[in-house]
Amino acid sequence: MKLTIIGTGYVGLVTGTCFAEVGHHVICVDSDANKVEMLRRGGIPIYEPGLEELVKKNVAAGRLSFTNSTAEGVEKSDVIFIAVPTPPQPDGSVDLSYIERVARDIAGAMTSYKIVVDKSTVPVKTGEKVAETIKRYCKAQVEFDVVSNPEFLREGFAVDDLMKPDRVVVGVRSPRPVAAMKQVYEPFNAPIIVTDINSAELIKHASNSFLALKISYINAVSILCEAAGANVQEVATGMGLDDRIGRRFLNAGIGFGGSCFPKDLSAFIKISEQVGYDFRLLKEVQNINAEQMERFIKKITETLWVLKDKKIAVLGLAFKQNTDDVRSSPAIDLCQRMLKEGATLRVHDPKAMDKARAVLPNVTFVDDMNDVAQGCDAIVVATEWDEFKKLDLERSREALSAPIMFDGRNLFDPQEMEKLGWIYKSIGR
Ligand code: UGA
């Protein structure tokens, strides 16, 4: 099929690339000329495992191309996906101005029937607004359909999630676009659920909020575990073996971050407020998440007493493993808090150091994780990178003034660490 994706951020670029990989012809549109140039040359602006190879392969095969021109994308494709940012506003609501702009641009370029698919995460009823906007700004009297097709990929696993989705949600107003949408997704062999547009939009916010709730739930349980001398990982495993619960997203830590959960929770609370419902449960999810960080900082200060003039080694800056994304990263938040207390920091992240430089100007970036502890008073684990489990514990212990580790992601075994002579503090164990 001929498909156009407008927006080459995480969602747009990975979606476009995976559509090309299964044989569709894809045009990716972005207003940023430098980005388009970079992509044409085979470079990619984000770190996402497996993506670069796929982009190169599909560009070479002539199935994937990049342009600045929305008009070109609209003209040459039958199905146009919108994958532009929907950033939060200070009051928690969503800024939909990029979506509105793109809807107008698409309308202005349409000369024949098009299916306009929203992939960005948007509040319920946005599809209705997009349809109204296109109708208003469309010069010719052409027919079109608006579809809601939320994306569920996780950063760091985006290619895998896209190629093997658990489900594909297609929200429509009429049956007309359904066949084409099924054709787009047929190669992915996933269950396709067809709903009305409002339900599809709600599925996305309700899913992300539920996952955030799951994390806050286990974080709250971790407090009980600490008080009772239990182990939150064992509790999570015991709970997770129940199919109805599942083990995933039951990892206690310093809280969730990233560009999705915090934003989507606020938006969902705001949307509920607008229809007259006070979603108190989700407000508590936010509170628990914020408190989790406070509790961790308290753990650090209780042990080190004063942070002023202490040298702390930090492992992890990204908001989670397998990504270079530091947006709303709990690790960055933690670093900024410790800096504010007067600590000096030596930090390491396998992929996120370049992006972290802009938000952490006064820290020492260390290329090798095994050098990060040099001359420090303690080491803090802030991101769940698998490779941190291979830290040279002996070398790090010798490099520290005292063998103290605060593990905000439960990467090490408490008993092992104690045996090795560490003062080791983790979460809920
Ligand atoms: C999330 C959802 O998982 C995706 O399904 C969704 O498509 C995406 O948002 C989106 O709306 O675009 P993402 O933000 O990439 O994906 O990251 P997650 O893997 O969900 O992790 C979010 C945060 O939760 C991270 O800070 C991570 O460290 C934390 N987390 C995750 C935990 O603290 N514990 C867990 O058990 C799992």
Side-chain angles (χ1 to χ4, degrees):
M1 293 181 84
K2 290 191 173 121
L3 309 174
T4 285
I5 320 279
I6 301 180
T8 58
Y10 274 99
V11 171
L13 183 57
V14 183
T15 306
T17 307
C18 291
F19 281 168
E21 175 67 12
V22 298
H24 297 309
H25 284 263
V26 182
I27 302 172
C28 287
V29 181
D30 204 288
S31 53
D32 182 340
N34 293 333
K35 211 170 174 188
V36 167
E37 215 21 70
M38 178 187 195
L39 287 160
R40 279 182 179 152
R41 287 197 313 266
I44 59 166
I46 50 172
Y47 170 74
E48 189 59 48
L51 184 61
E52 193 165 349
E53 300 74 30
L54 281 193
V55 170
K56 285 196 175 119
K57 177 181 161 196
N58 285 284
V59 167
R63 286 191 300 265
L64 181 62
S65 61
F66 300 94
T67 177
N68 279 133
S69 164
T70 303
E72 183 192 336
V74 172
E75 190 199 326
K76 292 188 177 162
S77 294
D78 312 313
V79 188
I80 297 129
F81 291 82
I82 303 176
V84 294
T86 50
Q89 308 201 91
D91 69 349
S93 64
V94 180
D95 175 0
L96 292 168
S97 58
Y98 297 99
I99 299 265
E100 197 261 358
R101 174 78 249 175
V102 169
R104 277 192 280 146
D105 290 348
I106 294 172
M110 268 176 17
T111 52
S112 58
Y113 174 74
K114 302 287 172 190
I115 300 173
V116 179
V117 186
D118 174 51
K119 241 192 188 308
S120 304
T121 300
V122 292
V124 62
K125 289 181 178 288
T126 299
E128 287 175 11
K129 292 279 180 211
V130 168
E132 267 172 37
T133 306
I134 294 179
K135 205 163 171 205
R136 191 170 306 139
Y137 288 91
C138 190
K139 288 179 220 128
Q141 279 304 307
V142 289
E143 294 186 342
F144 67 92
D145 270 298
V146 167
V147 172
S148 166
N149 172 220
E151 183 46 60
F152 300 100
L153 62 80
R154 292 162 303 159
E155 285 181 25
F157 305 91
V159 172
D160 252 17
D161 285 349
L162 221 309
M163 296 304 286
K164 290 176 245 144
D166 290 339
R167 80 299 208 186
V168 173
V169 175
V170 174
V172 292
R173 268 201 310 190
S174 77
R176 187 171 175 188
V178 173
M181 290 304 292
K182 285 192 171 163
Q183 210 182 326
V184 170
Y185 281 104
E186 201 219 283
F188 296 95
N189 290 321
I192 297 177
I193 137 161
V194 179
T195 68
D196 61 90
I197 294 184
N198 288 343
S199 301
E201 289 168 343
L202 275 176
I203 287 170
K204 171 69 192 197
H205 268 131
S207 300
N208 270 7
S209 299
F210 187 80
L211 290 167
L213 179 148
K214 213 174 163 186
I215 299 167
S216 275
Y217 184 83
I218 200 69
N219 280 337
V221 170
S222 79
I223 301 172
L224 271 137
C225 288
E226 277 177 29
N231 181 327
V232 72
Q233 278 176 316
E234 286 171 9
V235 174
T237 303
M239 287 168 62
L241 283 169
D242 184 330
D243 268 355
R244 294 169 303 174
I245 298 174
R247 177 65 178 81
R248 293 168 79 193
F249 280 70
L250 282 183
N251 293 322
I254 52 172
F256 56 77
S259 63
C260 302
F261 285 176
K263 174 192 100 172
D264 289 354
L265 264 180
S266 302
F268 209 33
I269 291 169
K270 198 78 194 164
I271 294 162
S272 309
E273 202 179 290
Q274 280 157 358
V275 298
Y277 176 60
D278 181 8
F279 214 144
R280 295 182 302 278
L281 179 64
L282 296 186
K283 290 180 180 166
E284 196 49 32
V285 170
Q286 290 179 319
N287 290 339
I288 293 170
N289 200 50
E291 279 164 21
Q292 201 65 6
M293 177 63 81
E294 295 308 321
R295 295 176 62 81
F296 190 65
I297 290 171
K298 199 165 159 225
K299 243 177 223 171
I300 298 175
T301 49
E302 267 172 8
T303 308
L304 298 182
W305 192 14
V306 177
L307 284 188
K308 191 165 180 292
D309 299 331
K310 293 273 159 50
K311 223 178 187 184
I312 315 271
V314 180
L315 283 177
L317 300 167
F319 81 97
K320 63 170 192 179
Q321 69 163 328
N322 279 341
T323 181
D324 63 350
D325 196 347
V326 296
R327 288 175 293 172
S328 298
S329 168
I332 298 285
D333 185 17
L334 179 61
C335 288
Q336 283 166 343
R337 296 283 298 268
M338 293 192 293
L339 286 170
K340 214 166 146 211
E341 296 283 324
T344 44
L345 305 182
R346 287 171 60 80
V347 303
H348 169 79
D349 189 283
K351 294 287 174 203
M353 293 209 283
D354 279 346
K355 290 202 170 148
R357 275 176 225 274
V359 281
L360 291 178
N362 298 317
V363 307
T364 306
F365 289 90
V366 182
D367 286 333
D368 185 338
M369 69 172 173
N370 290 314
D371 290 337
V372 77
Q374 199 54 53
C376 289
D377 297 288
I379 188 162
V380 172
V381 179
T383 308
E384 65 271 38
W385 282 97
D386 254 348
E387 53 210 87
F388 292 162
K389 292 179 187 163
K390 296 191 202 107
L391 181 74
D392 187 335
L393 289 167
E394 190 52 38
R395 189 167 144 195
S396 299
R397 207 167 67 101
E398 275 162 21
L400 290 165
S401 58
I404 304 173
M405 182 188 281
F406 302 98
D407 183 356
R409 296 292 178 182
N410 286 351
L411 295 189
F412 298 93
D413 181 64
Q415 270 134 32
E416 278 299 307
M417 291 299 278
E418 231 166 83
K419 248 192 257 159
L420 294 172
W422 284 83
I423 298 165
Y424 175 76
K425 314 253 168 173
S426 56
I427 309 277
R429 311 183 299 173

